[in-house]
PDB file of all heavy atoms in Angstrom:
ATOM      1  N   GLU U   1      79.322  90.487 109.032  1.00 78.00           N
ATOM      2  CA  GLU U   1      79.507  90.150 107.616  1.00 78.00           C
ATOM      3  C   GLU U   1      80.933  90.461 107.167  1.00 78.00           C
ATOM      4  O   GLU U   1      81.560  89.659 106.456  1.00 78.00           O
ATOM      5  CB  GLU U   1      78.508  90.953 106.779  1.00 78.00           C
ATOM      6  CG  GLU U   1      78.646  90.692 105.278  1.00 78.00           C
ATOM      7  CD  GLU U   1      77.712  91.567 104.457  1.00 78.00           C
ATOM      8  OE1 GLU U   1      76.934  92.338 105.056  1.00 78.00           O
ATOM      9  OE2 GLU U   1      77.779  91.474 103.212  1.00 78.00           O
ATOM     10  N   ALA U   2      81.446  91.611 107.578  1.00 79.00           N
ATOM     11  CA  ALA U   2      82.799  91.988 107.189  1.00 79.00           C
ATOM     12  C   ALA U   2      83.831  91.050 107.806  1.00 79.00           C
ATOM     13  O   ALA U   2      84.801  90.647 107.152  1.00 79.00           O
ATOM     14  CB  ALA U   2      83.077  93.438 107.600  1.00 79.00           C
ATOM     15  N   ILE U   3      83.627  90.693 109.068  1.00 80.00           N
ATOM     16  CA  ILE U   3      84.568  89.790 109.741  1.00 80.00           C
ATOM     17  C   ILE U   3      84.573  88.424 109.059  1.00 80.00           C
ATOM     18  O   ILE U   3      85.637  87.836 108.818  1.00 80.00           O
ATOM     19  CB  ILE U   3      84.202  89.659 111.235  1.00 80.00           C
ATOM     20  CG1 ILE U   3      84.460  90.984 111.960  1.00 80.00           C
ATOM     21  CG2 ILE U   3      85.013  88.547 111.884  1.00 80.00           C
ATOM     22  CD1 ILE U   3      84.009  90.995 113.404  1.00 80.00           C
ATOM     23  N   ASP U   4      83.365  87.912 108.731  1.00 79.00           N
ATOM     24  CA  ASP U   4      83.291  86.609 108.061  1.00 79.00           C
ATOM     25  C   ASP U   4      83.962  86.654 106.687  1.00 79.00           C
ATOM     26  O   ASP U   4      84.656  85.707 106.287  1.00 79.00           O
ATOM     27  CB  ASP U   4      81.825  86.184 107.917  1.00 79.00           C
ATOM     28  CG  ASP U   4      81.183  85.887 109.274  1.00 79.00           C
ATOM     29  OD1 ASP U   4      81.940  85.661 110.236  1.00 79.00           O
ATOM     30  OD2 ASP U   4      79.945  85.906 109.361  1.00 79.00           O
ATOM     31  N   ALA U   5      83.739  87.759 105.958  1.00 78.00           N
ATOM     32  CA  ALA U   5      84.335  87.886 104.626  1.00 78.00           C
ATOM     33  C   ALA U   5      85.855  87.969 104.708  1.00 78.00           C
ATOM     34  O   ALA U   5      86.566  87.338 103.907  1.00 78.00           O
ATOM     35  CB  ALA U   5      83.774  89.120 103.919  1.00 78.00           C
ATOM     36  N   ILE U   6      86.346  88.737 105.672  1.00 81.00           N
ATOM     37  CA  ILE U   6      87.802  88.858 105.834  1.00 81.00           C
ATOM     38  C   ILE U   6      88.406  87.509 106.199  1.00 81.00           C
ATOM     39  O   ILE U   6      89.459  87.111 105.686  1.00 81.00           O
ATOM     40  CB  ILE U   6      88.137  89.922 106.891  1.00 81.00           C
ATOM     41  CG1 ILE U   6      87.770  91.311 106.359  1.00 81.00           C
ATOM     42  CG2 ILE U   6      89.612  89.867 107.278  1.00 81.00           C
ATOM     43  CD1 ILE U   6      87.934  92.410 107.376  1.00 81.00           C
ATOM     44  N   LYS U   7      87.734  86.781 107.095  1.00 80.00           N
ATOM     45  CA  LYS U   7      88.234  85.458 107.470  1.00 80.00           C
ATOM     46  C   LYS U   7      88.230  84.509 106.266  1.00 80.00           C
ATOM     47  O   LYS U   7      89.176  83.740 106.054  1.00 80.00           O
ATOM     48  CB  LYS U   7      87.365  84.882 108.588  1.00 80.00           C
ATOM     49  CG  LYS U   7      87.835  83.515 109.096  1.00 80.00           C
ATOM     50  CD  LYS U   7      86.956  83.036 110.236  1.00 80.00           C
ATOM     51  CE  LYS U   7      87.435  81.670 110.734  1.00 80.00           C
ATOM     52  NZ  LYS U   7      87.380  80.639 109.685  1.00 80.00           N
ATOM     53  N   SER U   8      87.169  84.570 105.462  1.00 77.00           N
ATOM     54  CA  SER U   8      87.075  83.703 104.298  1.00 77.00           C
ATOM     55  C   SER U   8      88.185  84.006 103.290  1.00 77.00           C
ATOM     56  O   SER U   8      88.815  83.094 102.742  1.00 77.00           O
ATOM     57  CB  SER U   8      85.709  83.869 103.632  1.00 77.00           C
ATOM     58  OG  SER U   8      85.620  83.119 102.432  1.00 77.00           O
ATOM     59  N   GLU U   9      88.455  85.296 103.060  1.00 76.00           N
ATOM     60  CA  GLU U   9      89.507  85.663 102.120  1.00 76.00           C
ATOM     61  C   GLU U   9      90.882  85.298 102.658  1.00 76.00           C
ATOM     62  O   GLU U   9      91.783  84.921 101.894  1.00 76.00           O
ATOM     63  CB  GLU U   9      89.435  87.159 101.802  1.00 76.00           C
ATOM     64  CG  GLU U   9      88.175  87.573 101.070  1.00 76.00           C
ATOM     65  CD  GLU U   9      87.947  86.772  99.803  1.00 76.00           C
ATOM     66  OE1 GLU U   9      88.931  86.512  99.085  1.00 76.00           O
ATOM     67  OE2 GLU U   9      86.798  86.386  99.542  1.00 76.00           O
ATOM     68  N   ALA U  10      91.067  85.406 103.959  1.00 80.00           N
ATOM     69  CA  ALA U  10      92.342  84.988 104.551  1.00 80.00           C
ATOM     70  C   ALA U  10      92.552  83.485 104.362  1.00 80.00           C
ATOM     71  O   ALA U  10      93.664  83.036 104.069  1.00 80.00           O
ATOM     72  CB  ALA U  10      92.376  85.355 106.030  1.00 80.00           C
ATOM     73  N   ASP U  11      91.473  82.715 104.512  1.00 75.00           N
ATOM     74  CA  ASP U  11      91.573  81.278 104.261  1.00 75.00           C
ATOM     75  C   ASP U  11      91.906  80.994 102.796  1.00 75.00           C
ATOM     76  O   ASP U  11      92.685  80.076 102.482  1.00 75.00           O
ATOM     77  CB  ASP U  11      90.262  80.586 104.646  1.00 75.00           C
ATOM     78  CG  ASP U  11      90.014  80.607 106.155  1.00 75.00           C
ATOM     79  OD1 ASP U  11      90.997  80.771 106.908  1.00 75.00           O
ATOM     80  OD2 ASP U  11      88.844  80.481 106.568  1.00 75.00           O
ATOM     81  N   SER U  12      91.315  81.787 101.886  1.00 74.00           N
ATOM     82  CA  SER U  12      91.602  81.601 100.456  1.00 74.00           C
ATOM     83  C   SER U  12      93.065  81.895 100.155  1.00 74.00           C
ATOM     84  O   SER U  12      93.714  81.170  99.391  1.00 74.00           O
ATOM     85  CB  SER U  12      90.709  82.519  99.614  1.00 74.00           C
ATOM     86  OG  SER U  12      89.340  82.204  99.799  1.00 74.00           O
ATOM     87  N   MET U  13      93.589  82.945 100.769  1.00 78.00           N
ATOM     88  CA  MET U  13      94.997  83.274 100.566  1.00 78.00           C
ATOM     89  C   MET U  13      95.896  82.186 101.143  1.00 78.00           C
ATOM     90  O   MET U  13      96.937  81.846 100.562  1.00 78.00           O
ATOM     91  CB  MET U  13      95.322  84.626 101.208  1.00 78.00           C
ATOM     92  CG  MET U  13      94.641  85.798 100.519  1.00 78.00           C
ATOM     93  SD  MET U  13      95.012  87.377 101.329  1.00 78.00           S
ATOM     94  CE  MET U  13      96.784  87.476 101.063  1.00 78.00           C
ATOM     95  N   LYS U  14      95.498  81.623 102.260  1.00 75.00           N
ATOM     96  CA  LYS U  14      96.269  80.533 102.855  1.00 75.00           C
ATOM     97  C   LYS U  14      96.291  79.319 101.916  1.00 75.00           C
ATOM     98  O   LYS U  14      97.346  78.700 101.710  1.00 75.00           O
ATOM     99  CB  LYS U  14      95.675  80.140 104.205  1.00 75.00           C
ATOM    100  CG  LYS U  14      96.394  78.981 104.882  1.00 75.00           C
ATOM    101  CD  LYS U  14      95.721  78.611 106.186  1.00 75.00           C
ATOM    102  CE  LYS U  14      96.406  77.391 106.821  1.00 75.00           C
ATOM    103  NZ  LYS U  14      95.739  76.985 108.070  1.00 75.00           N
ATOM    104  N   GLU U  15      95.134  78.987 101.345  1.00 72.00           N
ATOM    105  CA  GLU U  15      95.072  77.860 100.412  1.00 72.00           C
ATOM    106  C   GLU U  15      95.922  78.123  99.173  1.00 72.00           C
ATOM    107  O   GLU U  15      96.597  77.224  98.652  1.00 72.00           O
ATOM    108  CB  GLU U  15      93.620  77.607 100.003  1.00 72.00           C
ATOM    109  CG  GLU U  15      92.740  77.092 101.151  1.00 72.00           C
ATOM    110  CD  GLU U  15      91.309  76.905 100.705  1.00 72.00           C
ATOM    111  OE1 GLU U  15      91.027  77.178  99.518  1.00 72.00           O
ATOM    112  OE2 GLU U  15      90.474  76.502 101.538  1.00 72.00           O
ATOM    113  N   LEU U  16      95.912  79.373  98.706  1.00 74.00           N
ATOM    114  CA  LEU U  16      96.720  79.713  97.545  1.00 74.00           C
ATOM    115  C   LEU U  16      98.209  79.557  97.840  1.00 74.00           C
ATOM    116  O   LEU U  16      98.965  79.018  97.024  1.00 74.00           O
ATOM    117  CB  LEU U  16      96.424  81.147  97.103  1.00 74.00           C
ATOM    118  CG  LEU U  16      97.234  81.670  95.908  1.00 74.00           C
ATOM    119  CD1 LEU U  16      96.997  80.806  94.679  1.00 74.00           C
ATOM    120  CD2 LEU U  16      96.868  83.118  95.615  1.00 74.00           C
ATOM    121  N   VAL U  17      98.628  80.002  99.015  1.00 75.00           N
ATOM    122  CA  VAL U  17     100.034  79.853  99.409  1.00 75.00           C
ATOM    123  C   VAL U  17     100.402  78.372  99.509  1.00 75.00           C
ATOM    124  O   VAL U  17     101.494  77.958  99.092  1.00 75.00           O
ATOM    125  CB  VAL U  17     100.300  80.581 100.736  1.00 75.00           C
ATOM    126  CG1 VAL U  17     101.688  80.256 101.262  1.00 75.00           C
ATOM    127  CG2 VAL U  17     100.153  82.087 100.553  1.00 75.00           C
ATOM    128  N   GLU U  18      99.493  77.569 100.035  1.00 69.00           N
ATOM    129  CA  GLU U  18      99.763  76.133 100.126  1.00 69.00           C
ATOM    130  C   GLU U  18      99.883  75.505  98.737  1.00 69.00           C
ATOM    131  O   GLU U  18     100.721  74.623  98.508  1.00 69.00           O
ATOM    132  CB  GLU U  18      98.646  75.448 100.920  1.00 69.00           C
ATOM    133  CG  GLU U  18      98.664  75.804 102.416  1.00 69.00           C
ATOM    134  CD  GLU U  18      97.520  75.150 103.156  1.00 69.00           C
ATOM    135  OE1 GLU U  18      96.637  74.594 102.481  1.00 69.00           O
ATOM    136  OE2 GLU U  18      97.502  75.229 104.402  1.00 69.00           O
ATOM    137  N   GLN U  19      99.077  75.964  97.794  1.00 68.00           N
ATOM    138  CA  GLN U  19      99.182  75.465  96.428  1.00 68.00           C
ATOM    139  C   GLN U  19     100.518  75.860  95.800  1.00 68.00           C
ATOM    140  O   GLN U  19     101.133  75.079  95.073  1.00 68.00           O
ATOM    141  CB  GLN U  19      98.034  76.001  95.586  1.00 68.00           C
ATOM    142  CG  GLN U  19      96.669  75.441  95.983  1.00 68.00           C
ATOM    143  CD  GLN U  19      95.544  76.052  95.181  1.00 68.00           C
ATOM    144  OE1 GLN U  19      95.770  76.735  94.190  1.00 68.00           O
ATOM    145  NE2 GLN U  19      94.316  75.825  95.606  1.00 68.00           N
ATOM    146  N   LEU U  20     100.971  77.089  96.096  1.00 70.00           N
ATOM    147  CA  LEU U  20     102.259  77.531  95.579  1.00 70.00           C
ATOM    148  C   LEU U  20     103.391  76.691  96.160  1.00 70.00           C
ATOM    149  O   LEU U  20     104.343  76.335  95.456  1.00 70.00           O
ATOM    150  CB  LEU U  20     102.478  79.015  95.901  1.00 70.00           C
ATOM    151  CG  LEU U  20     101.533  80.000  95.211  1.00 70.00           C
ATOM    152  CD1 LEU U  20     101.835  81.418  95.665  1.00 70.00           C
ATOM    153  CD2 LEU U  20     101.666  79.897  93.702  1.00 70.00           C
ATOM    154  N   LEU U  21     103.303  76.394  97.429  1.00 68.00           N
ATOM    155  CA  LEU U  21     104.313  75.540  98.044  1.00 68.00           C
ATOM    156  C   LEU U  21     104.282  74.140  97.431  1.00 68.00           C
ATOM    157  O   LEU U  21     105.326  73.506  97.246  1.00 68.00           O
ATOM    158  CB  LEU U  21     104.083  75.453  99.560  1.00 68.00           C
ATOM    159  CG  LEU U  21     104.323  76.749 100.339  1.00 68.00           C
ATOM    160  CD1 LEU U  21     103.951  76.557 101.808  1.00 68.00           C
ATOM    161  CD2 LEU U  21     105.776  77.187 100.213  1.00 68.00           C
ATOM    162  N   PHE U  22     103.078  73.664  97.123  1.00 63.00           N
ATOM    163  CA  PHE U  22     102.954  72.360  96.477  1.00 63.00           C
ATOM    164  C   PHE U  22     103.636  72.364  95.110  1.00 63.00           C
ATOM    165  O   PHE U  22     104.370  71.443  94.750  1.00 63.00           O
ATOM    166  CB  PHE U  22     101.476  72.001  96.341  1.00 63.00           C
ATOM    167  CG  PHE U  22     101.188  70.997  95.266  1.00 63.00           C
ATOM    168  CD1 PHE U  22     101.521  69.674  95.455  1.00 63.00           C
ATOM    169  CD2 PHE U  22     100.590  71.385  94.078  1.00 63.00           C
ATOM    170  CE1 PHE U  22     101.260  68.743  94.454  1.00 63.00           C
ATOM    171  CE2 PHE U  22     100.333  70.462  93.090  1.00 63.00           C
ATOM    172  CZ  PHE U  22     100.666  69.136  93.279  1.00 63.00           C
ATOM    173  N   LEU U  23     103.427  73.444  94.339  1.00 62.00           N
ATOM    174  CA  LEU U  23     104.069  73.537  93.032  1.00 62.00           C
ATOM    175  C   LEU U  23     105.583  73.656  93.169  1.00 62.00           C
ATOM    176  O   LEU U  23     106.332  73.123  92.351  1.00 62.00           O
ATOM    177  CB  LEU U  23     103.511  74.751  92.276  1.00 62.00           C
ATOM    178  CG  LEU U  23     102.044  74.667  91.844  1.00 62.00           C
ATOM    179  CD1 LEU U  23     101.607  75.964  91.207  1.00 62.00           C
ATOM    180  CD2 LEU U  23     101.836  73.513  90.877  1.00 62.00           C
ATOM    181  N   ALA U  24     106.033  74.368  94.208  1.00 61.00           N
ATOM    182  CA  ALA U  24     107.477  74.527  94.407  1.00 61.00           C
ATOM    183  C   ALA U  24     108.136  73.198  94.764  1.00 61.00           C
ATOM    184  O   ALA U  24     109.247  72.901  94.323  1.00 61.00           O
ATOM    185  CB  ALA U  24     107.742  75.564  95.504  1.00 61.00           C
ATOM    186  N   ARG U  25     107.439  72.388  95.566  1.00 58.00           N
ATOM    187  CA  ARG U  25     108.003  71.088  95.934  1.00 58.00           C
ATOM    188  C   ARG U  25     107.925  70.093  94.793  1.00 58.00           C
ATOM    189  O   ARG U  25     108.769  69.214  94.651  1.00 58.00           O
ATOM    190  CB  ARG U  25     107.258  70.518  97.153  1.00 58.00           C
ATOM    191  CG  ARG U  25     107.528  71.264  98.446  1.00 58.00           C
ATOM    192  CD  ARG U  25     107.014  70.456  99.619  1.00 58.00           C
ATOM    193  NE  ARG U  25     105.592  70.200  99.504  1.00 58.00           N
ATOM    194  CZ  ARG U  25     104.653  70.945 100.074  1.00 58.00           C
ATOM    195  NH1 ARG U  25     104.994  72.004 100.792  1.00 58.00           N
ATOM    196  NH2 ARG U  25     103.378  70.646  99.930  1.00 58.00           N
ATOM    197  N   GLY U  26     106.917  70.239  93.941  1.00 53.00           N
ATOM    198  CA  GLY U  26     106.751  69.292  92.842  1.00 53.00           C
ATOM    199  C   GLY U  26     106.350  67.910  93.315  1.00 53.00           C
ATOM    200  O   GLY U  26     106.605  66.919  92.650  1.00 53.00           O
ATOM    201  N   ASP U  27     105.726  67.830  94.476  1.00 52.00           N
ATOM    202  CA  ASP U  27     105.338  66.543  95.047  1.00 52.00           C
ATOM    203  C   ASP U  27     103.865  66.323  94.770  1.00 52.00           C
ATOM    204  O   ASP U  27     103.000  66.895  95.425  1.00 52.00           O
ATOM    205  CB  ASP U  27     105.620  66.542  96.549  1.00 52.00           C
ATOM    206  CG  ASP U  27     105.353  65.172  97.168  1.00 52.00           C
ATOM    207  OD1 ASP U  27     105.074  64.238  96.409  1.00 52.00           O
ATOM    208  OD2 ASP U  27     105.427  65.058  98.407  1.00 52.00           O
ATOM    209  N   ASN U  28     103.569  65.500  93.772  1.00 51.00           N
ATOM    210  CA  ASN U  28     102.170  65.276  93.392  1.00 51.00           C
ATOM    211  C   ASN U  28     101.386  64.548  94.471  1.00 51.00           C
ATOM    212  O   ASN U  28     100.170  64.689  94.577  1.00 51.00           O
ATOM    213  CB  ASN U  28     102.110  64.477  92.089  1.00 51.00           C
ATOM    214  CG  ASN U  28     102.691  65.260  90.926  1.00 51.00           C
ATOM    215  OD1 ASN U  28     102.627  66.481  90.923  1.00 51.00           O
ATOM    216  ND2 ASN U  28     103.255  64.558  89.966  1.00 51.00           N
ATOM    217  N   ASP U  29     102.088  63.755  95.283  1.00 53.00           N
ATOM    218  CA  ASP U  29     101.381  62.981  96.295  1.00 53.00           C
ATOM    219  C   ASP U  29     100.924  63.843  97.471  1.00 53.00           C
ATOM    220  O   ASP U  29     100.113  63.408  98.270  1.00 53.00           O
ATOM    221  CB  ASP U  29     102.299  61.862  96.819  1.00 53.00           C
ATOM    222  CG  ASP U  29     102.598  60.846  95.726  1.00 53.00           C
ATOM    223  OD1 ASP U  29     101.763  60.722  94.813  1.00 53.00           O
ATOM    224  OD2 ASP U  29     103.663  60.194  95.797  1.00 53.00           O
ATOM    225  N   SER U  30     101.484  65.073  97.582  1.00 53.00           N
ATOM    226  CA  SER U  30     101.128  65.914  98.712  1.00 53.00           C
ATOM    227  C   SER U  30      99.884  66.762  98.446  1.00 53.00           C
ATOM    228  O   SER U  30      99.423  67.481  99.315  1.00 53.00           O
ATOM    229  CB  SER U  30     102.298  66.848  99.065  1.00 53.00           C
ATOM    230  OG  SER U  30     102.551  67.745  97.991  1.00 53.00           O
ATOM    231  N   MET U  31      99.349  66.721  97.218  1.00 57.00           N
ATOM    232  CA  MET U  31      98.162  67.490  96.892  1.00 57.00           C
ATOM    233  C   MET U  31      96.943  66.847  97.538  1.00 57.00           C
ATOM    234  O   MET U  31      96.671  65.670  97.334  1.00 57.00           O
ATOM    235  CB  MET U  31      97.981  67.559  95.369  1.00 57.00           C
ATOM    236  CG  MET U  31      96.837  68.447  94.944  1.00 57.00           C
ATOM    237  SD  MET U  31      97.126  70.165  95.360  1.00 57.00           S
ATOM    238  CE  MET U  31      95.696  70.934  94.615  1.00 57.00           C
ATOM    239  N   HIS U  32      96.221  67.653  98.311  1.00 66.00           N
ATOM    240  CA  HIS U  32      95.048  67.141  99.009  1.00 66.00           C
ATOM    241  C   HIS U  32      93.837  67.980  98.614  1.00 66.00           C
ATOM    242  O   HIS U  32      93.858  69.203  98.731  1.00 66.00           O
ATOM    243  CB  HIS U  32      95.266  67.208 100.523  1.00 66.00           C
ATOM    244  CG  HIS U  32      94.116  66.653 101.301  1.00 66.00           C
ATOM    245  ND1 HIS U  32      93.732  65.331 101.237  1.00 66.00           N
ATOM    246  CD2 HIS U  32      93.253  67.261 102.159  1.00 66.00           C
ATOM    247  CE1 HIS U  32      92.680  65.137 102.023  1.00 66.00           C
ATOM    248  NE2 HIS U  32      92.377  66.288 102.582  1.00 66.00           N
ATOM    249  N   ILE U  33      92.814  67.332  98.129  1.00 73.00           N
ATOM    250  CA  ILE U  33      91.584  68.009  97.710  1.00 73.00           C
ATOM    251  C   ILE U  33      90.496  67.725  98.731  1.00 73.00           C
ATOM    252  O   ILE U  33      90.212  66.564  99.047  1.00 73.00           O
ATOM    253  CB  ILE U  33      91.152  67.539  96.315  1.00 73.00           C
ATOM    254  CG1 ILE U  33      92.242  67.892  95.286  1.00 73.00           C
ATOM    255  CG2 ILE U  33      89.829  68.180  95.916  1.00 73.00           C
ATOM    256  CD1 ILE U  33      91.924  67.433  93.886  1.00 73.00           C
ATOM    257  N   GLU U  34      89.905  68.805  99.241  1.00 77.00           N
ATOM    258  CA  GLU U  34      88.830  68.692 100.219  1.00 77.00           C
ATOM    259  C   GLU U  34      87.489  68.681  99.484  1.00 77.00           C
ATOM    260  O   GLU U  34      87.038  69.706  98.975  1.00 77.00           O
ATOM    261  CB  GLU U  34      88.883  69.864 101.211  1.00 77.00           C
ATOM    262  CG  GLU U  34      90.055  69.829 102.175  1.00 77.00           C
ATOM    263  CD  GLU U  34      89.864  68.771 103.260  1.00 77.00           C
ATOM    264  OE1 GLU U  34      88.723  68.266 103.391  1.00 77.00           O
ATOM    265  OE2 GLU U  34      90.826  68.450 103.953  1.00 77.00           O
ATOM    266  N   MET U  35      86.850  67.542  99.430  1.00 83.00           N
ATOM    267  CA  MET U  35      85.550  67.422  98.795  1.00 83.00           C
ATOM    268  C   MET U  35      84.464  67.679  99.827  1.00 83.00           C
ATOM    269  O   MET U  35      84.430  67.036 100.874  1.00 83.00           O
ATOM    270  CB  MET U  35      85.378  66.033  98.189  1.00 83.00           C
ATOM    271  CG  MET U  35      86.456  65.678  97.165  1.00 83.00           C
ATOM    272  SD  MET U  35      86.385  66.719  95.688  1.00 83.00           S
ATOM    273  CE  MET U  35      84.839  66.151  94.975  1.00 83.00           C
ATOM    274  N   GLU U  36      83.600  68.650  99.520  1.00 85.00           N
ATOM    275  CA  GLU U  36      82.490  68.960 100.421  1.00 85.00           C
ATOM    276  C   GLU U  36      81.319  69.478  99.612  1.00 85.00           C
ATOM    277  O   GLU U  36      81.460  69.905  98.468  1.00 85.00           O
ATOM    278  CB  GLU U  36      82.908  69.980 101.471  1.00 85.00           C
ATOM    279  CG  GLU U  36      83.476  71.274 100.915  1.00 85.00           C
ATOM    280  CD  GLU U  36      83.939  72.191 102.031  1.00 85.00           C
ATOM    281  OE1 GLU U  36      83.085  72.644 102.804  1.00 85.00           O
ATOM    282  OE2 GLU U  36      85.161  72.444 102.122  1.00 85.00           O
ATOM    283  N   SER U  37      80.159  69.450 100.221  1.00 86.00           N
ATOM    284  CA  SER U  37      78.936  69.880  99.545  1.00 86.00           C
ATOM    285  C   SER U  37      78.685  71.361  99.822  1.00 86.00           C
ATOM    286  O   SER U  37      78.818  71.820 100.957  1.00 86.00           O
ATOM    287  CB  SER U  37      77.751  69.045 100.041  1.00 86.00           C
ATOM    288  OG  SER U  37      76.550  69.488  99.436  1.00 86.00           O
ATOM    289  N   PHE U  38      78.329  72.101  98.777  1.00 84.00           N
ATOM    290  CA  PHE U  38      78.017  73.522  98.928  1.00 84.00           C
ATOM    291  C   PHE U  38      77.120  73.940  97.776  1.00 84.00           C
ATOM    292  O   PHE U  38      76.958  73.214  96.783  1.00 84.00           O
ATOM    293  CB  PHE U  38      79.286  74.376  98.973  1.00 84.00           C
ATOM    294  CG  PHE U  38      80.110  74.306  97.718  1.00 84.00           C
ATOM    295  CD1 PHE U  38      79.955  75.229  96.698  1.00 84.00           C
ATOM    296  CD2 PHE U  38      81.045  73.291  97.540  1.00 84.00           C
ATOM    297  CE1 PHE U  38      80.712  75.167  95.538  1.00 84.00           C
ATOM    298  CE2 PHE U  38      81.808  73.204  96.389  1.00 84.00           C
ATOM    299  CZ  PHE U  38      81.645  74.144  95.386  1.00 84.00           C
ATOM    300  N   ASP U  39      76.559  75.132  97.910  1.00 85.00           N
ATOM    301  CA  ASP U  39      75.656  75.665  96.896  1.00 85.00           C
ATOM    302  C   ASP U  39      76.455  76.560  95.949  1.00 85.00           C
ATOM    303  O   ASP U  39      77.012  77.583  96.356  1.00 85.00           O
ATOM    304  CB  ASP U  39      74.533  76.474  97.552  1.00 85.00           C
ATOM    305  CG  ASP U  39      73.456  76.875  96.551  1.00 85.00           C
ATOM    306  OD1 ASP U  39      73.646  76.618  95.349  1.00 85.00           O
ATOM    307  OD2 ASP U  39      72.445  77.463  96.971  1.00 85.00           O
ATOM    308  N   LEU U  40      76.536  76.162  94.696  1.00 84.00           N
ATOM    309  CA  LEU U  40      77.284  76.938  93.715  1.00 84.00           C
ATOM    310  C   LEU U  40      76.659  78.312  93.497  1.00 84.00           C
ATOM    311  O   LEU U  40      77.374  79.281  93.209  1.00 84.00           O
ATOM    312  CB  LEU U  40      77.350  76.170  92.393  1.00 84.00           C
ATOM    313  CG  LEU U  40      78.217  76.778  91.289  1.00 84.00           C
ATOM    314  CD1 LEU U  40      79.662  76.913  91.752  1.00 84.00           C
ATOM    315  CD2 LEU U  40      78.138  75.931  90.024  1.00 84.00           C
ATOM    316  N   THR U  41      75.348  78.416  93.650  1.00 84.00           N
ATOM    317  CA  THR U  41      74.692  79.706  93.482  1.00 84.00           C
ATOM    318  C   THR U  41      75.152  80.693  94.550  1.00 84.00           C
ATOM    319  O   THR U  41      75.427  81.867  94.259  1.00 84.00           O
ATOM    320  CB  THR U  41      73.163  79.536  93.541  1.00 84.00           C
ATOM    321  OG1 THR U  41      72.750  78.641  92.500  1.00 84.00           O
ATOM    322  CG2 THR U  41      72.463  80.867  93.360  1.00 84.00           C
ATOM    323  N   GLU U  42      75.229  80.246  95.794  1.00 85.00           N
ATOM    324  CA  GLU U  42      75.684  81.128  96.874  1.00 85.00           C
ATOM    325  C   GLU U  42      77.132  81.561  96.639  1.00 85.00           C
ATOM    326  O   GLU U  42      77.482  82.723  96.865  1.00 85.00           O
ATOM    327  CB  GLU U  42      75.546  80.421  98.216  1.00 85.00           C
ATOM    328  CG  GLU U  42      74.106  80.149  98.632  1.00 85.00           C
ATOM    329  CD  GLU U  42      74.028  79.477  99.984  1.00 85.00           C
ATOM    330  OE1 GLU U  42      75.108  79.230 100.584  1.00 85.00           O
ATOM    331  OE2 GLU U  42      72.911  79.209 100.455  1.00 85.00           O
TER     332      GLU U  42
END
C-alpha cells in the first residue's frame, strides 16, 4: 500500500511539473488531457 501510494504521488508530482512547463512555454497546443474512466468515490 505504501509503495503504491508513493508511486501515485510521484506520478502526481510529475504531472504537476509537466503542467508548470506547459505554462512556462505558453504553448496551448501542447496541453494533453488523458480521459479515462475511474470511480470518483475511490
